[in-house]
Amino acid sequence: MRIFALETDINKVKERFCKKESGECEVLMTYYHGLSFFFAILREIFITVVLVSIGIVGVIYAWPQVLTWGALGTVWVVFAFFNILKAYIDWCYDFILVTTDKVVLVDQTSFFQQEIKPIHLENIGSITMETQFMDIFPFGTVSFHLKEGEGGDVIEKKYVPRARELTAKISDVVMEYQRRGSRADRQHEPAPIQAGVVDVAVETPVV
């Protein structure tokens, strides 16, 4: 289902960038770790605890309940709800797609904003992985280093589950893509001309 810019049907996004009719195949797809959602809403959790505590105090001291909880609810919606919703969309609908031709980074930050970055494998210079939180949790940061012709930028993605395995798999896919390209280039090269002695047959006229 599509809600403004937000596409909730992940298969539609995958079909748009994975051209199976041209022989392109999906290699892997991964979402981001659930703790990315938790760490993104820590401030909102604190705000919620404070507001609920104030509400409990209001019950104890017999404050006007409708007015108290109405005001607290309004404050919670303004300062917490929208940030929680944004973090949930980020966690639920963002993913990394790897095909035999490209890496697609999907970032859907809200109902009104969507960013999709397809990176062709030939434009990836290298891929690195870095641990997070002293490698206590099973995720890490994966960095895509683009070639200088593409600006030489570095694209970092945090909270990637099994970052080591993902980095190794993408490196293998890039290597295989480069090998396919090298084989195709060699097949289109003209055959070299071999230097040697050319035999010329001379006919002797019959007298």
Side-chain angles (χ1 to χ4, degrees):
M1 182 175 65
R2 189 175 186 87
I3 307 174
F4 298 107
L6 176 64
E7 179 58 74
T8 60
D9 189 347
I10 301 304
N11 289 325
K12 288 185 178 180
V13 180
K14 292 165 63 174
E15 290 171 1
R16 195 187 313 162
F17 290 93
C18 185
K19 306 298 183 181
K20 295 183 179 180
E21 61 273 10
S22 62
E24 185 177 5
C25 301
E26 177 183 339
V27 177
L28 64 89
M29 189 201 77
T30 181
Y31 294 97
Y32 295 94
H33 198 277
L35 285 177
S36 64
F37 174 63
F38 173 76
F39 287 122
I41 62 170
L42 280 177
R43 183 176 69 91
E44 285 68 32
I45 293 175
F46 176 76
I47 292 174
T48 303
V49 170
V50 171
L51 293 177
V52 171
S53 301
I54 294 174
I56 293 174
V57 171
V59 171
I60 295 173
Y61 289 95
W63 295 348
Q65 296 301 300
V66 175
L67 181 61
T68 300
W69 289 106
L72 294 175
T74 302
V75 172
W76 183 82
V77 169
V78 172
F79 292 99
F81 173 74
F82 293 109
N83 290 332
I84 293 175
L85 181 61
K86 177 182 178 300
Y88 175 78
I89 293 175
D90 268 336
W91 167 67
C92 191
Y93 298 110
D94 290 2
F95 62 91
I96 300 174
L97 173 66
V98 181
T99 72
T100 51
D101 290 343
K102 65 177 76 77
V103 175
V104 183
L105 307 177
V106 179
D107 184 11
Q108 303 192 100
T109 55
S110 68
F111 293 111
F112 309 106
Q113 183 178 0
Q114 180 190 73
E115 183 179 10
I116 301 178
K117 291 183 180 179
I119 307 172
H120 289 272
L121 298 181
E122 62 185 6
N123 298 327
I124 298 178
S126 63
I127 307 163
T128 58
M129 175 268 174
E130 184 179 355
T131 59
Q132 292 181 255
F133 301 102
M134 298 178 291
D135 205 21
I136 297 175
F137 304 108
F139 57 77
T141 301
V142 176
S143 301
F144 299 89
H145 301 262
L146 304 184
K147 293 182 179 179
E148 292 184 0
E150 300 299 318
D153 295 333
V154 178
I155 301 176
E156 289 188 351
K157 292 297 177 180
K158 297 183 178 181
Y159 302 103
V160 178
R162 302 181 302 278
R164 287 189 180 87
E165 292 82 354
L166 180 69
T167 303
K169 186 64 177 179
I170 297 178
S171 297
D172 293 341
V173 173
V174 172
M175 186 69 67
E176 181 60 29
Y177 179 87
Q178 293 174 348
R179 287 174 180 170
R180 292 203 316 265
S182 299
R183 286 196 295 265
D185 291 341
R186 286 197 297 269
Q187 290 175 358
H188 288 85
E189 288 179 355
I193 301 176
Q194 297 181 352
V197 179
V198 179
D199 295 332
V200 180
V202 179
E203 295 183 357
T204 304
V206 179
V207 178

